[in-house]
Amino acid sequence: MPEAALHVGSGKVRELYALDDERLLLVASDRISTFDVVLPTEIPDKGRVLTGLSAFWFSRTRGICPNHLLALGDNGRSTECRRLEMLPIECVVRGYLAGSGWKDYRATGAVCGHRLPAGLDESAQLPEPIFTPATKATTGHDENIDREQALALMDSNLFDEAERLSIELYRFAAEYARERGIVIADTKFEFGVDAGGRLVLADEALTPDSSRFWPADEYRAGAGQPSFDKQFVRDYCEALGWDKTSPGPELPADVVAGTRARYIEAFERLTGLSFGDYLADPSVVLR
Ligand SMILES: Nc1ncnc2c1ncn2[C@@H]1O[C@H](COP(=O)(O)OP(=O)(O)OP(=O)(O)O)[C@@H](O)[C@H]1O
Ligand SMILES: [Mg+2]
């Protein structure tokens, strides 16, 4: 890393460095987390896939909202970005019923205060995408919250604007991905506020780590769907009978290879580029 850059944080996947008061360097590692636990085994190139895909989406969604991207590193895994005051919520949009959305719906008929039609199946497409924010837990799992709970944490105008932008970003990306054989069942955005008080899309966007990607040709409501990426890892961990607390299990070579292949396939399907071309020149995703 640049000698002058100060290490300011470490997430489950990314290392953060301050370049100066206005700029951060986000470096995406090859770490993989499942059930919120970082596993001891890495997936080679995963950080490059996440970085390249996020940059691809940033460059295609500028018409919807500004984003934090300033430059992509030659190594394909670092992003120079604007340093923002991050919102205290995760901006989740769901187009389909899965994960905690399905769990909440089954228990209460609603998700984050959105009452939904009765009788929906697991993985069913919703009549309209819904905004289902979550708290940003520093430890443990994020918790779904409704508008009321979110307004205890932040300004209502910013909340409404984050909701509007999140839904618009999701609609755009879901339609685009569907034509390339991928259902984006749900996704999580993170926004920050710039010095002028404007919302800016930050973090990673519309990647397999921040979204549920399902292969469209296998989609069938009424059961859980195979996910595009972490399914190998989840299935392997479940079969071991691991209790989902740290430390997680080491992954064998075939699970690593299968997972890497799926991440790269998601990248190639969505961008229409070969991953090799991205490695040779990361700026191909910006064109
Ligand atoms: N432009 C930005 N300015 C300030 N902070 C940012 C910006 N973009 C992203 N971040 C923050 O950087 C961190 C990214 O690291 P990482 O994704 O590893 O964290 P994590 O959220 O703990 O992991 P996970 O995504 O697995 O939940 C997040 O805390 C995110 O909110
Ligand atoms: Mg993150």
Side-chain angles (χ1 to χ4, degrees), residues 12-14 90 188 190 203-204:
K12 286 193 285 293
V13 171
R14 290 171 185 75
E90 314 225 308
K188 176 208 75 173
E190 289 192 32
D203 201 54
E204 63 178 325

PDB file of all heavy atoms in Angstrom, residues 12-14 90 188 190 203-204, ligand 2:
ATOM      1  N   LYS A  12     -14.879  -7.076   7.108  1.00  0.00           N
ATOM      2  CA  LYS A  12     -14.765  -8.523   6.911  1.00  0.00           C
ATOM      3  C   LYS A  12     -14.031  -8.811   5.602  1.00  0.00           C
ATOM      4  O   LYS A  12     -13.284  -9.769   5.521  1.00  0.00           O
ATOM      5  CB  LYS A  12     -16.156  -9.171   6.904  1.00  0.00           C
ATOM      6  CG  LYS A  12     -16.770  -9.232   8.307  1.00  0.00           C
ATOM      7  CD  LYS A  12     -17.977 -10.139   8.368  1.00  0.00           C
ATOM      8  CE  LYS A  12     -19.200  -9.535   7.735  1.00  0.00           C
ATOM      9  NZ  LYS A  12     -19.731  -8.363   8.451  1.00  0.00           N
ATOM     10  N   VAL A  13     -14.234  -7.946   4.618  1.00  0.00           N
ATOM     11  CA  VAL A  13     -13.650  -8.188   3.298  1.00  0.00           C
ATOM     12  C   VAL A  13     -12.628  -7.128   2.890  1.00  0.00           C
ATOM     13  O   VAL A  13     -11.653  -7.423   2.211  1.00  0.00           O
ATOM     14  CB  VAL A  13     -14.786  -8.290   2.243  1.00  0.00           C
ATOM     15  CG1 VAL A  13     -14.248  -8.323   0.826  1.00  0.00           C
ATOM     16  CG2 VAL A  13     -15.638  -9.540   2.516  1.00  0.00           C
ATOM     17  N   ARG A  14     -12.854  -5.858   3.281  1.00  0.00           N
ATOM     18  CA  ARG A  14     -12.021  -4.762   2.791  1.00  0.00           C
ATOM     19  C   ARG A  14     -11.104  -4.155   3.838  1.00  0.00           C
ATOM     20  O   ARG A  14     -11.437  -4.126   5.021  1.00  0.00           O
ATOM     21  CB  ARG A  14     -12.912  -3.639   2.215  1.00  0.00           C
ATOM     22  CG  ARG A  14     -13.558  -4.072   0.946  1.00  0.00           C
ATOM     23  CD  ARG A  14     -14.608  -3.141   0.391  1.00  0.00           C
ATOM     24  NE  ARG A  14     -15.167  -3.843  -0.752  1.00  0.00           N
ATOM     25  CZ  ARG A  14     -16.004  -4.873  -0.638  1.00  0.00           C
ATOM     26  NH1 ARG A  14     -16.468  -5.220   0.525  1.00  0.00           N
ATOM     27  NH2 ARG A  14     -16.385  -5.532  -1.711  1.00  0.00           N
ATOM     28  N   GLU A  90     -28.178   0.147   6.347  1.00  0.00           N
ATOM     29  CA  GLU A  90     -27.910  -0.539   5.093  1.00  0.00           C
ATOM     30  C   GLU A  90     -29.192  -0.439   4.274  1.00  0.00           C
ATOM     31  O   GLU A  90     -30.283  -0.707   4.790  1.00  0.00           O
ATOM     32  CB  GLU A  90     -27.615  -2.012   5.359  1.00  0.00           C
ATOM     33  CG  GLU A  90     -26.645  -2.217   6.492  1.00  0.00           C
ATOM     34  CD  GLU A  90     -25.577  -3.245   6.170  1.00  0.00           C
ATOM     35  OE1 GLU A  90     -25.937  -4.352   5.766  1.00  0.00           O
ATOM     36  OE2 GLU A  90     -24.388  -2.891   6.326  1.00  0.00           O
ATOM     37  N   LYS A 188     -28.006  -4.955  -1.361  1.00  0.00           N
ATOM     38  CA  LYS A 188     -27.786  -3.973  -0.297  1.00  0.00           C
ATOM     39  C   LYS A 188     -26.904  -2.843  -0.822  1.00  0.00           C
ATOM     40  O   LYS A 188     -25.834  -3.088  -1.363  1.00  0.00           O
ATOM     41  CB  LYS A 188     -27.079  -4.649   0.875  1.00  0.00           C
ATOM     42  CG  LYS A 188     -26.719  -3.694   1.985  1.00  0.00           C
ATOM     43  CD  LYS A 188     -25.506  -4.153   2.780  1.00  0.00           C
ATOM     44  CE  LYS A 188     -24.218  -3.958   2.039  1.00  0.00           C
ATOM     45  NZ  LYS A 188     -23.015  -4.236   2.841  1.00  0.00           N
ATOM     46  N   GLU A 190     -24.983   0.931   0.186  1.00  0.00           N
ATOM     47  CA  GLU A 190     -24.576   1.819   1.283  1.00  0.00           C
ATOM     48  C   GLU A 190     -24.372   3.202   0.694  1.00  0.00           C
ATOM     49  O   GLU A 190     -23.675   3.353  -0.312  1.00  0.00           O
ATOM     50  CB  GLU A 190     -23.290   1.333   1.944  1.00  0.00           C
ATOM     51  CG  GLU A 190     -23.512   0.065   2.753  1.00  0.00           C
ATOM     52  CD  GLU A 190     -22.325  -0.276   3.647  1.00  0.00           C
ATOM     53  OE1 GLU A 190     -21.632   0.648   4.125  1.00  0.00           O
ATOM     54  OE2 GLU A 190     -22.097  -1.473   3.854  1.00  0.00           O
ATOM     55  N   ASP A 203     -19.288   2.231  -1.015  1.00  0.00           N
ATOM     56  CA  ASP A 203     -18.998   0.823  -0.714  1.00  0.00           C
ATOM     57  C   ASP A 203     -18.918   0.007  -2.001  1.00  0.00           C
ATOM     58  O   ASP A 203     -18.390   0.469  -2.999  1.00  0.00           O
ATOM     59  CB  ASP A 203     -20.071   0.291   0.244  1.00  0.00           C
ATOM     60  CG  ASP A 203     -19.611  -0.941   1.020  1.00  0.00           C
ATOM     61  OD1 ASP A 203     -18.535  -0.843   1.651  1.00  0.00           O
ATOM     62  OD2 ASP A 203     -20.296  -1.957   0.990  1.00  0.00           O
ATOM     63  N   GLU A 204     -19.380  -1.240  -1.960  1.00  0.00           N
ATOM     64  CA  GLU A 204     -19.482  -2.055  -3.172  1.00  0.00           C
ATOM     65  C   GLU A 204     -20.929  -1.965  -3.633  1.00  0.00           C
ATOM     66  O   GLU A 204     -21.806  -1.627  -2.839  1.00  0.00           O
ATOM     67  CB  GLU A 204     -19.092  -3.503  -2.881  1.00  0.00           C
ATOM     68  CG  GLU A 204     -19.990  -4.197  -1.883  1.00  0.00           C
ATOM     69  CD  GLU A 204     -19.597  -5.662  -1.652  1.00  0.00           C
ATOM     70  OE1 GLU A 204     -19.150  -6.307  -2.604  1.00  0.00           O
ATOM     71  OE2 GLU A 204     -19.755  -6.125  -0.516  1.00  0.00           O
TER      72      GLU A 204
HETATM   73 MG    MG B   2     -19.237  -4.484   3.254  1.00  0.00          MG
END
